């Protein structure tokens, strides 16, 4: 009888934890039943990745980078990360993730990326950067914050 009570209590705790709908980093998003089926079909990250190829004309961007290099260090990676941060602020639906076969909306914007540290040869080490973009960041302040986090390899 004691084993049944212990087993029943553990089962109830497991059920309550399994159906938990709160997280510190996100808000639960209720999905349509057809959409929730996708979490069971594509269980790992590699099954749900979509790759596509596109060509973008960046001649004006390259000119802008050359013009601003005299004022502060900027590269194409800085521009791509800044565009991603702008996209997250303009389209909050891009800032969602899945965990426990549920869809969650992040409570904050956070960007993680890796970038080579500044060095004159090709053997520069990678720096992993995690940062939270703010709404009052200009492109220059955003690039300076990235450069502070990357540092220079010695």
């Amino acid at each position: 009888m004691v084993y049944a009570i212990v087993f029943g209590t553990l089962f109830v705790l497991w059920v309550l934890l399994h159906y938990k709908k709160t997280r510190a980093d996100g808000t639960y998003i209720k999905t349509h039943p057809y959409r929730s089926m996708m979490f069971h079909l594509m269980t790992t990250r590699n099954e749900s990745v979509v790759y596509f190829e596109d060509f973008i004309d960046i001649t004006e961007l390259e000119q802008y980078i050359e013009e601003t290099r005299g004022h502060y260090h900027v590269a194409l990676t800085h521009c791509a990360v800044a565009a991603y941060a702008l996209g997250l602020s303009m389209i909050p639906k891009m800032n969602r993730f899945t965990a426990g076969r549920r869809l969650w909306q992040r409570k904050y914007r956070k960007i993680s990326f890796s970038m080579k540290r500044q060095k004159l040869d090709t053997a520069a080490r990678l720096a992993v950067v995690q940062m939270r973009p703010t709404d009052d960041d200009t492109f220059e302040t955003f690039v300076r914050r990235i450069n502070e986090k990357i540092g220079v390899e010695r």
Side-chain angles (χ1 to χ4, degrees):
M1 183 66 177
V2 174
Y3 291 115
I5 292 172
V6 170
F7 180 73
T9 305
L10 290 175
F11 179 73
V12 168
L13 284 173
W14 178 81
V15 167
L16 289 175
L17 289 175
H18 185 69
Y19 290 108
K20 182 180 172 186
K21 300 213 174 150
T22 58
R23 283 180 64 105
D25 60 345
T27 307
Y28 175 70
I29 303 290
K30 188 166 175 65
T31 57
H32 192 273
Y34 291 126
R35 174 105 189 239
S36 63
M37 183 176 62
M38 299 298 282
F39 303 130
H40 298 282
L41 294 176
M42 296 183 276
T43 56
T44 64
R45 184 184 314 194
N46 289 336
E47 292 172 347
S48 58
V49 171
V50 176
Y51 295 107
F52 67 95
E53 189 173 322
D54 199 4
F55 296 99
I56 301 170
D57 183 24
I58 61 167
T59 54
E60 293 179 15
L61 180 62
E62 288 175 337
Q63 291 172 358
Y64 175 75
I65 290 172
E66 288 300 320
E67 291 172 5
T68 57
R69 280 208 176 139
H71 303 291
Y72 52 93
H73 176 72
V74 64
L76 189 59
T77 308
H78 293 94
C79 299
V81 172
Y84 178 68
L86 184 63
L88 282 181
S89 66
M90 293 175 63
I91 307 169
K93 283 188 175 182
M94 284 178 38
N95 202 12
R96 292 184 175 179
F97 65 99
T98 58
R101 295 184 179 174
R102 291 185 179 91
L103 187 64
W104 303 87
Q105 174 72 43
R106 285 200 198 279
K107 292 182 178 176
Y108 52 84
R109 289 179 288 162
K110 183 177 180 182
I111 297 174
S112 301
F113 63 97
S114 59
M115 188 174 184
K116 275 195 173 184
R117 292 184 176 151
Q118 298 173 4
K119 194 172 179 182
L120 297 177
D121 61 356
T122 59
R125 293 184 16 215
L126 286 176
V128 178
V129 178
Q130 292 183 353
M131 59 187 297
R132 291 187 181 181
T134 60
D135 290 333
D136 57 343
D137 272 345
T138 62
F139 181 69
E140 182 177 353
T141 59
F142 190 75
V143 168
R144 289 186 193 277
R145 284 180 50 209
I146 290 174
N147 289 338
E148 286 172 6
K149 291 195 178 255
I150 291 173
V152 177
E153 186 178 9
R154 296 176 187 188

